[in-house]
Amino acid sequence: KLSDYLALPRDHGITNYLIGNTTPDSILQKTGVDNLSLIATGPLPPNPSELLSNGRIKSLLELYRQQFDYILIDTPPVGLVTDAVILSPLIDACFYIVRHDMTPKRDLLIVSELKKNDKFKSISIIFNGVNYRNSREYRYGYGYGTKYGKGYY
């Protein structure tokens, strides 16, 4: 989806590199956003877990760590497939994105298990998609008042 959002082709990408058909430089795409590059998925392989385990992703990340300040890897949610867990020894932090009113609460049990079993060096939850205009539950702030109802917030 990221390729679509950024209007970039996705027919050539990480899959091509992992199977040994291309170089790291040929899969890296410039985006229209300053200081942001993207590697598309490429063709969908029949064996994605095996490709991620073949050692080529480790050497690719080592190369890119010399060129970039941050490397973000977008994987399917943990629990649906094993991609993120396979990559866990190679990453510094995991962000589990939870969408308000969309992600089932039971899915958060996965995060608890991952934390308890030390699957990631660091795991954090990003709570996304909250409509603050229509909800009083998720507001925060500060202020003071008096018993006469005067004050500011």
Side-chain angles (χ1 to χ4, degrees):
K1 276 298 200 190
L2 293 175
S3 296
D4 293 341
Y5 293 142
L6 296 167
L8 295 171
R10 60 178 174 178
D11 57 338
H12 184 77
I14 191 73
T15 301
N16 302 93
Y17 173 78
L18 292 176
I19 61 175
N21 284 352
T22 194
T23 64
D25 292 334
S26 69
I27 59 174
L28 196 61
Q29 299 181 57
K30 296 283 185 190
T31 68
V33 179
D34 287 343
N35 299 314
L36 180 67
S37 297
L38 178 117
I39 298 174
T41 56
L44 293 176
N47 56 345
S49 297
E50 288 177 35
L51 285 178
L52 288 174
S53 300
N54 72 9
R56 291 182 61 87
I57 191 77
K58 182 178 180 180
S59 59
L60 183 71
L61 290 174
E62 287 170 359
L63 174 70
Y64 286 152
R65 281 194 170 115
Q66 297 170 14
Q67 298 176 26
F68 297 99
D69 293 329
Y70 300 100
I71 300 170
L72 303 175
I73 303 172
D74 183 23
T75 68
V78 175
L80 293 180
V81 294
T82 60
D83 296 4
V85 176
I86 290 170
L87 294 170
S88 66
L90 306 174
I91 63 170
D92 299 319
C94 173
F95 298 102
Y96 194 90
I97 300 177
V98 175
R99 186 159 181 206
H100 180 250
D101 279 343
M102 297 296 283
T103 304
K105 288 180 184 176
R106 70 180 176 274
D107 287 1
L108 294 176
L109 294 174
I110 294 169
V111 177
S112 178
E113 286 297 312
L114 293 169
K115 178 72 174 156
K116 185 169 72 174
N117 295 320
D118 288 326
K119 292 290 185 184
F120 295 94
K121 294 173 194 161
S122 170
I123 188 165
S124 301
I125 296 174
I126 296 176
F127 195 53
N128 192 16
V130 177
N131 185 349
Y132 290 101
R133 294 176 210 247
N134 296 332
S135 175
R136 292 184 149 286
E137 294 177 48
Y138 301 106
R139 294 187 185 219
Y140 66 92
Y142 65 93
Y144 80 94
T146 66
K147 67 180 181 176
Y148 302 109
K150 296 183 180 184
Y152 67 88
Y153 292 88

